[in-house]
């Protein structure tokens, strides 16, 4: 069994920032396990080519407190930056390595990777994000229209058709603006107006609405989806409106991977959020949550900041007396 001081699960912005902060704090050896074949899978998979990676996202503005920080830049520049950091700080990132289980043993925590117990660590940081599991609506999606309903933003714009985007955050707004190049786009959002949206996104959206390329269905809530006779998606709104679309894109965010966290023994509160203290330590001593799974609403800069707080805490609470 390989022995390390710190095992990090997930090589997204939070996991990589934890690796960097640990390197600077001279905590070693550190290993980062990533289940995908590349780092930053959420950015790679869900951000379309050329997407702006905003330093202030969903209206959440946080000052950087650690070494990791960035200015708004393209998806490609951001991924290059992350790869450069991995190399500059010589991080030991192991790709295609999914952590399936974490168990308390006498000498620390044993991590099962791709089905085999592989590493024993003094400390574990779980930085697996929330986008492995996109949030879905409560009502069922009829099987006849499953290939017309999507829960991830598109990378390619359909060549035409009538499209419904569901959601009111930055992602819904960006998806609508992207799709309206070729399609007739509607946005359905439950609130009467957009909330905490990035000002650049809002400006672009307003322009598209004025040009008639996007139509807003604000203060609308979907009751159910049905298959229309022509195979398209019939959308029934609670307000009584019924409309038919070629495609529906849900942009509702992600959800905490509760199954994994509960399975390894992390406790949850009454609102079903994992319980962490102010340093993001769970009820399992020495096991921390970083990034999106640690905070109510995540952003990349917030993920970087959680990494700084956790590593400082490990040093001060556990390592300073040694
Ligand atoms: C479409 C979209 C647009 C966004 N735009 C912005 C923006 O402009 N600006 C901004 O600040 N934020 C944006 N966000 C939010 C941002 O992506 C997240 O806040 C950020 O990625 C959180 O980083 P993280 O490291 O916590 O999680 P993630 O980035 O989700 O990384 C988690 C990593 O863990 C890996 N993993 C998961 N499970 C395991 C396992 N069991 N074993 C090993 N590895 C595992 C995953 O493969 C992944 O690489 C956007 C999100 C979406 C979906």
């Amino acid at each position: 069994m390989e022995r390390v001081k710190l095992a990090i699960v997930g090589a997204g912005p939070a996991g990589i920032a934890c690796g960097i902060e640990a390197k600077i704090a001279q905590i070693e050896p550190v290993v980062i396990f990533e289940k995908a074949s590349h780092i930053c899978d959420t950015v790679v998979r869900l951000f379309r080519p050329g997407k702006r990676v905003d330093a202030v996202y969903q209206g959440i503005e946080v000052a950087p407190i650690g070494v990791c920080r960035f200015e708004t830049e393209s998806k490609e520049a951001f991924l290059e930056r992350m790869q450069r950091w991995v190399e500059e700080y010589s991080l030991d990132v192991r790709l295609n390595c999914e952590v399936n289980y974490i168990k308390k043993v006498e000498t620390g925590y044993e991590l099962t990777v791709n089905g085999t117990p592989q590493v024993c660590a003094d400390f574990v940081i779980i930085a697996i994000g929330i986008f492995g599991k996109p949030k879905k609506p409560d009502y069922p999606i009829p099987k006849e229209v499953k290939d017309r309903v999507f829960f991830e933003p598109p990378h390619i714009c359909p060549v035409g058709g009538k499209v419904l985007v569901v959601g009111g955050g930055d992602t819904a707004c960006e998806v609508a603006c992207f799709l309206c190049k070729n399609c007739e786009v509607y946005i359905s959002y439950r609130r009467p107006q957009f909330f905490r949206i990035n000002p650049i996104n809002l400006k672009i959206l307003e322009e598209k609405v004025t040009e008639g390329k996007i139509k807003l269905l604000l203060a609308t809530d979907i009751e159910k989806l049905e298959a229309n006779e022509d195979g398209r998606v019939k959308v029934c709104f609670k307000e009584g409106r019924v409309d038919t679309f070629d495609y529906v894109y849900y942009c509702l965010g992600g959800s905490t991977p509760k199954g994994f966290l509960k399975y390894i023994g992390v406790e949850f509160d009454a609102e079903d959020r994992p319980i962490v203290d102010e340093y993001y330590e769970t009820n399992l001593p020495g096991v921390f949550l970083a990034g999106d799974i640690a905070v109510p609403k995540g952003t990349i800069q917030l993920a970087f900041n959680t990494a700084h707080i956790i590593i400082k805490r490990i040093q001060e609470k556990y390592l300073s007396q040694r």
Side-chain angles (χ1 to χ4, degrees):
M1 177 86 49
E2 186 180 347
R3 180 87 224 171
V4 296
K5 182 70 77 191
L6 170 64
I8 299 167
V9 187
I16 290 173
C18 288
I20 293 172
E21 295 280 353
K23 199 72 166 203
I24 289 167
Q26 295 178 325
I27 295 173
E28 56 187 1
V30 175
V31 58
I32 308 179
F33 292 109
E34 168 54 54
K35 74 172 177 184
S37 58
H38 42 255
I39 61 164
C40 293
D41 186 50
T42 296
V43 177
V44 168
R45 201 165 40 84
L46 299 183
F47 291 28
R48 66 182 159 68
K51 173 184 146 43
R52 254 188 9 257
V53 182
D54 289 310
V56 178
Y57 180 63
Q58 305 277 43
I60 301 166
E61 188 162 4
V62 282
I65 56 172
V67 281
C68 297
R69 52 193 67 198
F70 75 108
E71 300 289 332
T72 296
E73 59 194 356
S74 69
K75 163 184 177 172
E76 292 73 15
F78 180 79
L79 286 173
E80 265 176 42
R81 161 195 303 284
M82 298 307 290
Q83 190 56 48
R84 196 171 59 242
W85 284 355
V86 168
E87 284 154 26
E88 264 173 35
Y89 289 93
S90 308
L91 302 185
D92 180 0
V93 181
R94 308 205 185 154
L95 301 173
N96 300 305
C97 285
E98 178 168 10
V99 174
N100 320 106
Y101 193 52
I102 300 168
K103 181 172 87 178
K104 179 87 188 100
V105 291
E106 219 176 289
T107 52
Y109 289 95
E110 182 187 277
L111 278 78
T112 298
V113 183
N114 296 336
T116 311
Q118 242 181 54
V119 161
C120 192
D122 291 356
F123 307 102
V124 180
I125 302 175
I126 305 172
I128 57 180
I130 59 168
F131 289 105
K133 229 176 126 205
K135 227 181 246 166
K136 294 189 175 176
D138 299 335
Y139 45 83
I141 309 298
K143 63 176 186 327
E144 299 86 342
V145 295
K146 278 219 154 85
D147 55 352
R148 291 177 179 268
V149 176
F150 305 96
F151 298 98
E152 292 188 355
H155 280 231
I156 295 169
C157 185
V159 286
K162 188 172 161 190
V163 172
L164 180 66
V165 176
V166 185
D170 280 309
T171 300
C173 179
E174 289 178 9
V175 165
C177 292
F178 174 64
L179 292 172
C180 81
K181 270 184 279 180
N182 301 339
C183 304
E184 183 188 349
V185 175
Y186 293 72
I187 302 182
S188 166
Y189 184 39
R190 280 192 296 188
R191 292 177 190 249
Q193 59 196 31
F194 289 99
F195 178 65
R196 284 188 151 183
I197 214 167
N198 177 292
I200 303 171
N201 280 340
L202 192 58
K203 185 166 175 285
I204 300 171
L205 178 69
E206 282 168 352
E207 280 166 15
K208 303 289 181 198
V209 170
T210 308
E211 290 165 24
K213 291 185 171 163
I214 296 179
K215 293 172 190 75
L216 300 181
L217 306 176
L218 294 174
T220 60
D221 206 357
I222 297 173
E223 187 186 357
K224 60 177 176 179
L225 299 191
E226 288 176 2
N228 204 41
E229 305 95 64
D230 60 2
R232 301 195 307 151
V233 192
K234 190 197 268 183
V235 179
C236 307
F237 293 88
K238 287 184 182 159
E239 299 71 33
R241 181 191 177 111
V242 177
D243 209 341
T244 308
F245 297 90
D246 292 285
Y247 305 106
V248 179
Y249 291 86
Y250 286 92
C251 303
L252 305 177
S255 55
T256 310
K258 284 181 235 158
F260 178 76
L261 296 178
K262 287 185 178 172
Y263 181 49
I264 64 168
V266 172
E267 285 172 1
F268 279 62
D269 64 17
E271 278 155 26
D272 225 13
R273 286 207 47 79
I275 299 172
V276 287
D277 68 11
E278 59 197 301
Y279 308 102
Y280 304 109
E281 189 166 7
T282 67
N283 56 298
L284 308 170
V287 175
F288 294 79
L289 307 185
D292 276 3
I293 56 164
V295 295
K297 270 207 169 294
T299 73
I300 290 169
Q301 188 58 59
L302 210 47
F304 290 164
N305 287 3
T306 60
H308 179 74
I309 292 167
I310 292 167
I311 296 300
K312 194 158 170 263
R313 181 63 173 168
I314 291 177
Q315 263 189 316
E316 290 174 358
K317 181 175 174 188
Y318 293 104
L319 302 176
S320 62
Q321 301 93 330
R322 290 185 194 172

